[in-house]
Amino acid sequence: MLMCLTASHKNASFDLLEALSVRTDSVARRITEHTECVSGAVVVATCNRFEAYIDFDEPLTSAQAVALEATADAVAAASGIDAAILRQSLEVHSGQDAAEHLFAVAAGLESVVVGEGEIAGQVRRSLERAREEGTTSSDLERLFQRASQTSRGIKNRTPLGRAGRSIVRLALDLAESRISDWSTTKVLLVGTGAYAGASLAALRDRGVTDVSVYSPSGRGARFATKHDMDNVSSTDFARLAASVDVIVTCTTANGHVIDAELLQRGRLEAHSAGADAAATVTPIGAVAAAPAAAHSAATAGLIAGTGLDGATLEAANGCPVDHDARAQLVIDMGLPRNVDPDVQTVRGVELLDLETIRIHAPLEELQATDEARKIVSRAARKFSDVTDEQSVSDAVVALRSHVFDLLEDEIQRAAGRGDDGETARALRHLTGVLLHTPTTRAKDFARAGEAQKYRDAIETLFGISVDGLASAAEDRAVADDAARGEATA
């Protein structure tokens, strides 16, 4: 049985999703270790969702409770979030519903921006991580591979995904009203991962040419060389961050990379170097004056950080807070947050984070979405049918093994009586005809969710142990493979 436990932007707070995005590497392993009933787990963790896909060895009446407990305990151990809160926040899907949910997620139908393209890659990488950790299973492999196939089918057969939808592009769409001319806008990109590449592409599509990159992990030089842009050193980071028009952050670094103190310090460094930060920022829209109390607090904090008294600092460099600062936009694409919300206390700075972007997400394009959901439903139904059929495959194998063993015994007896092969051919034909209906009915019972009834009937009518004969058949296959290997050695 496959189950999915999910917390997303649709049913969980942004703060909970942010907490869930931290230290999820060990969650899948913890889930698989929770009970012997769990044969596999794959965790999908993105900026707007946390999902655990779990494979149970057999259907259980208490499967939902077991899955919820396993996931909640694993996440609590990894993140420190109270398990009781997690149990209340996780939504549960099972069987075909779990498959349909994942297929919709991979196609971008459950995203903040419907049809966005990044999620398909995130789903694929989640499976790759599970493989590396050894937590996947054959059913989960098939589930996630089918999800990727469905996503590609929707992209090719519907308008969704063709317009380059993404969180990055939505954020830039929301920034349009604040930007007078993208071609003259100076941008600092913080991060070098997949979102950084998507952000850079979206910026250049809008005509931005002046983009530099900073990497908290030190990967900036390689990224800059690959994309023909300037790399910002740690020494210059604060000054440049305070000087550009737009900052886009999309790094996986834990903790805030940018805060009010850094921007204030950067303005002071630029002023000390003789370059007034206000003069280097292009006008990008009207800016409401920051509250006087916030401005005073920011100034006092910066002065305290320098170790100088206010009079000395202002006499040497002028006021550390730029009273004439023009608007500066900070777009935080990180989860957990890359930017401390206190940057909004810095005069002229406006923050656009994922929570704000989510609020302004556009409505779905109904026709394209409906078509995509029909594709998802058909794919999930087909996946479920195949899964159900596989659930009785061992019973079919056991039945056929039992019948063919009897057949071979009869053929041997006929040969001993001098049969010229006619009897053997007739017996084989009859056996095939007799097995056709039980084999077909196995699929019917499986699709109706009554696989166990079929297994019970086989054991009752033929007096065979389905598990025992299936295992024996597997043992014979292994022995045959070994014998063939020795013969060719």
Side-chain angles (χ1 to χ4, degrees), residues 122-178:
Q122 292 167 331
V123 168
R124 184 181 64 255
R125 289 190 291 275
S126 296
L127 177 61
E128 291 171 354
R129 283 194 298 272
R131 287 172 182 164
E132 294 172 357
E133 296 168 6
T135 65
T136 187
S137 69
S138 58
D139 282 347
L140 287 171
E141 285 277 353
R142 196 166 58 83
L143 174 69
F144 274 74
Q145 290 172 12
R146 186 60 180 167
S148 295
Q149 294 169 3
T150 303
S151 174
R152 289 194 296 270
I154 288 173
K155 183 177 180 180
N156 294 332
R157 296 164 57 187
T158 74
L160 290 179
R162 295 178 189 171
R165 292 174 176 82
S166 69
I167 291 287
V168 174
R169 293 181 185 275
L170 175 58
L172 297 183
D173 287 345
L174 295 176
E176 288 282 358
S177 62
R178 302 162 178 83

Side-chain angles (χ1 to χ4, degrees), residues 163-486:
R165 292 174 176 82
S166 69
I167 291 287
V168 174
R169 293 181 185 275
L170 175 58
L172 297 183
D173 287 345
L174 295 176
E176 288 282 358
S177 62
R178 302 162 178 83
I179 307 296
S180 60
D181 184 358
W182 283 105
S183 65
T184 61
T185 301
K186 297 174 65 176
V187 180
L188 173 61
L189 184 63
V190 180
T192 56
Y195 260 88
S199 300
L200 179 60
L203 287 165
R204 286 179 169 170
D205 285 348
R206 281 170 166 75
V208 178
T209 58
D210 190 349
V211 187
S212 52
V213 63
Y214 169 73
S215 171
S217 61
R219 299 188 182 95
R222 182 177 179 181
F223 186 90
T225 300
K226 179 179 178 181
H227 296 283
D228 191 23
M229 58 196 302
D230 291 333
N231 176 46
V232 178
S233 67
S234 298
T235 304
D236 296 330
F237 177 50
R239 177 179 58 78
L240 192 62
S243 304
V244 297
D245 303 322
V246 178
I247 302 173
V248 179
T249 68
C250 44
T251 177
T252 56
N254 289 325
H256 297 137
V257 179
I258 294 177
D259 55 19
E261 189 277 331
L262 181 133
L263 293 180
Q264 293 281 20
R265 176 159 48 85
R267 292 183 178 187
L268 177 60
E269 290 176 4
H271 185 84
S272 299
D276 189 349
T280 65
V281 179
T282 305
I284 58 173
V287 182
H295 169 242
S296 299
T299 305
L302 180 60
I303 290 173
T306 64
L308 301 175
D309 63 84
T312 302
L313 188 62
E314 292 205 29
N317 301 306
C319 179
V321 178
D322 184 5
H323 294 278
D324 296 321
R326 303 299 180 87
Q328 182 179 36
L329 180 63
V330 180
I331 302 175
D332 184 3
M333 304 293 298
L335 192 71
R337 292 178 176 92
N338 296 158
V339 180
D340 192 318
D342 72 357
V343 297
Q344 296 174 98
T345 65
V346 179
R347 189 176 180 84
V349 174
E350 184 175 359
L351 175 63
L352 184 62
D353 59 15
L354 285 173
E355 190 168 19
T356 306
I357 294 169
R358 183 175 71 186
I359 293 171
H360 291 87
L363 295 176
E364 302 179 6
E365 294 183 16
L366 298 180
Q367 186 174 357
T369 301
D370 287 346
E371 183 180 353
R373 288 200 178 278
K374 288 178 182 177
I375 295 174
V376 163
S377 295
R378 287 196 297 269
R381 192 160 50 249
K382 182 178 179 180
F383 175 87
S384 181
D385 287 346
V386 173
T387 301
D388 290 340
E389 290 173 14
Q390 289 182 343
S391 70
V392 294
S393 62
D394 59 343
V396 173
V397 168
L399 173 62
R400 293 176 70 87
S401 296
H402 174 71
V403 172
F404 279 116
D405 284 345
L406 295 177
L407 171 64
E408 292 302 323
D409 289 342
E410 290 303 318
I411 289 175
Q412 290 296 326
R413 277 194 286 270
R417 294 192 298 267
D419 176 52
D420 61 359
E422 285 296 325
T423 301
R425 282 191 291 273
L427 286 173
R428 292 186 190 281
H429 176 72
L430 177 61
T431 300
V433 172
L434 290 175
L435 284 175
H436 174 73
T437 298
T439 301
T440 303
R441 292 291 289 158
K443 296 179 180 180
D444 295 337
F445 271 81
R447 291 173 181 173
E450 298 181 337
Q452 191 57 47
K453 285 186 177 180
Y454 182 86
R455 295 165 64 91
D456 293 342
I458 292 298
E459 294 187 4
T460 300
L461 292 173
F462 294 93
I464 61 177
S465 169
V466 171
D467 293 335
L469 279 180
S471 298
E474 290 179 3
D475 291 341
R476 285 198 300 271
V478 171
D480 290 343
D481 288 342
R484 282 193 294 270
E486 292 175 0

Side-chain angles (χ1 to χ4, degrees), residues 41-59:
V42 178
V43 170
V44 179
T46 74
C47 60
N48 283 301
R49 69 181 58 255
F50 171 89
E51 300 188 337
Y53 292 85
I54 306 173
D55 182 10
F56 283 90
D57 284 332
E58 57 184 280

